[in-house]
Amino acid sequence: MFDFNQVTIVLVSTSHPGNIGATARAMKNMGLNKLTLVQPAQFPSGVAVGRAVSAIDILEKATVVDTLQEAVADCGLVIGASARSRKIPWPMLNPEQCAEKVVADARKNKVALVFGREDAGLNNEELQQCHFHVQIPTNPGYSSLNLASAVMVICYEVHKAALAVENLPVPQEDEFWDQEKANGEQVEHFYRHLERVMIAIDFHDLDNPRQLMQRMRRLFSRIRIDVMEMNILRGILSNIEYKIGSVKQTSQKK
Ligand code: SAH
């Protein structure tokens, strides 16, 4: 049985509470129940309750946090929904591919599906915290869906994919993997550590950063590193720091 508790819908800085309610309803229709709100403009809200109809339980259980980083801290797979292509191309999925990944991954890791602001979508920093982006194919002349409609399309695909694997228990590639994927919190520690070391060895210049960290994020997002591999890399970074004398071996920073 597919465990829908493994999948969280994350809404970032939603301005209209009606969209939060409509999201809860779409989620419940499709069997999902975990909702995280990053800095909603208005929540709790009577308007949201009105639009949620019989999905008020999802609103009541919703978690409110300050940053996307917090929202995805325990997730091994993060997929961001975006209507537009961005400056640095990122691994891109269509809704069916997205749902397949979600269902395969949710057997091992927690998964977050992230949706942006009504007016401006997700910003670059937020998009770079995602392993993949998902774009719903639409009319090129008017590509941006209403937030809750976008949530519905993605949740519908996840629902269909979840039913399909129940009927056809094909082993997924990831089932054979011996380690869990690193989660959002672990990779953020790693990026900070990597940045510190690259600065210490004069590889990275904060006055002229170019797109180094974005490219490092994209590289490691593509690989989807596991916990053991991440520990090895952290160990290498710590030894570099020790060797160049920028930190004592005993006082490893997080
Ligand atoms: N004007 C914004 C769109 C915001 S719509 C922009 O250009 O980015 C609110 C959110 O709904 C988006 O951040 C995205 O998460 C989701 N969304 C809307 N249309 C989408 C589409 N065609 N594909 C994927 N996600 C979409």
Side-chain angles (χ1 to χ4, degrees):
M1 268 280 272
F2 180 69
D3 182 3
F4 283 100
N5 286 316
Q6 289 283 86
V7 184
T8 304
I9 298 293
V10 180
L11 302 186
V12 177
S13 303
T14 310
S15 37
H16 303 297
N19 278 331
I20 299 177
T23 290
R25 181 175 186 175
M27 287 171 61
K28 192 158 178 177
N29 284 144
M30 294 301 147
L32 282 91
N33 55 69
K34 285 179 72 184
L35 176 62
T36 298
L37 305 170
V38 180
Q39 292 202 13
Q42 221 182 309
F43 191 81
S45 138
V47 176
V49 167
R51 290 287 295 278
V53 193
S54 294
I56 295 165
D57 55 320
I58 292 185
L59 295 181
E60 284 170 352
K61 281 188 308 188
T63 311
V64 179
V65 296
D66 277 334
T67 60
L68 176 59
Q69 215 165 303
E70 272 178 75
V72 303
D74 63 348
C75 294
L77 174 65
V78 182
I79 302 180
S82 175
R84 290 179 287 152
S85 343
R86 307 290 167 139
K87 243 205 222 147
I88 300 192
W90 214 259
M92 180 66 83
L93 304 170
N94 65 34
E96 291 86 357
Q97 293 166 327
C98 165
E100 259 172 49
K101 280 227 180 297
V102 168
V103 170
D105 239 82
R107 296 168 179 228
K108 284 235 163 184
N109 310 295
K110 290 198 186 308
V111 176
L113 293 164
V114 185
F115 296 83
R117 300 157 186 80
E118 291 93 333
D119 55 348
L122 294 165
N123 64 32
N124 286 334
E125 197 195 326
E126 289 154 353
L127 284 164
Q128 283 160 16
Q129 287 177 53
C130 302
H131 296 103
F132 297 93
H133 297 161
V134 56
Q135 194 167 15
I136 301 165
T138 45
N139 171 5
Y142 188 31
S143 66
S144 169
L145 275 78
N146 161 264
L147 170 59
S149 304
V151 172
M152 177 50 115
V153 171
I154 299 299
C155 290
Y156 173 58
E157 292 297 339
V158 170
H159 182 78
K160 278 199 300 184
L163 291 183
V165 290
E166 264 167 44
N167 297 333
L168 189 78
V170 183
Q172 304 279 342
E173 177 205 339
D174 274 359
E175 296 229 318
F176 303 108
W177 208 250
D178 55 342
Q179 297 286 329
E180 273 180 46
K181 297 277 193 280
N183 67 27
E185 190 177 15
Q186 292 160 338
V187 295
E188 285 305 324
H189 283 313
F190 167 67
Y191 290 136
R192 281 206 288 278
H193 198 171
L194 177 65
E195 186 164 30
R196 247 186 358 253
V197 171
M198 291 196 303
I199 292 168
I201 63 172
D202 293 333
F203 186 80
H204 183 30
D205 178 4
L206 281 183
D207 293 330
N208 185 19
R210 310 208 170 172
Q211 292 178 325
L212 180 60
M213 285 317 292
Q214 285 97 312
R215 291 191 185 276
M216 287 291 111
R217 279 178 179 273
R218 187 173 66 169
L219 166 65
F220 287 103
S221 296
R222 257 192 355 259
I223 295 172
R224 300 209 41 221
I225 203 154
D226 72 32
V227 171
M228 176 67 81
E229 294 161 341
M230 180 125 294
N231 285 340
I232 294 169
L233 283 178
R234 293 288 306 269
I236 294 171
L237 291 175
S238 295
N239 274 38
I240 293 173
E241 285 179 313
Y242 173 65
K243 279 279 179 189
I244 64 173
S246 69
V247 68
K248 289 202 183 74
Q249 197 164 32
T250 45
S251 62
Q252 278 189 6
K253 281 184 259 172
K254 255 236 150 168

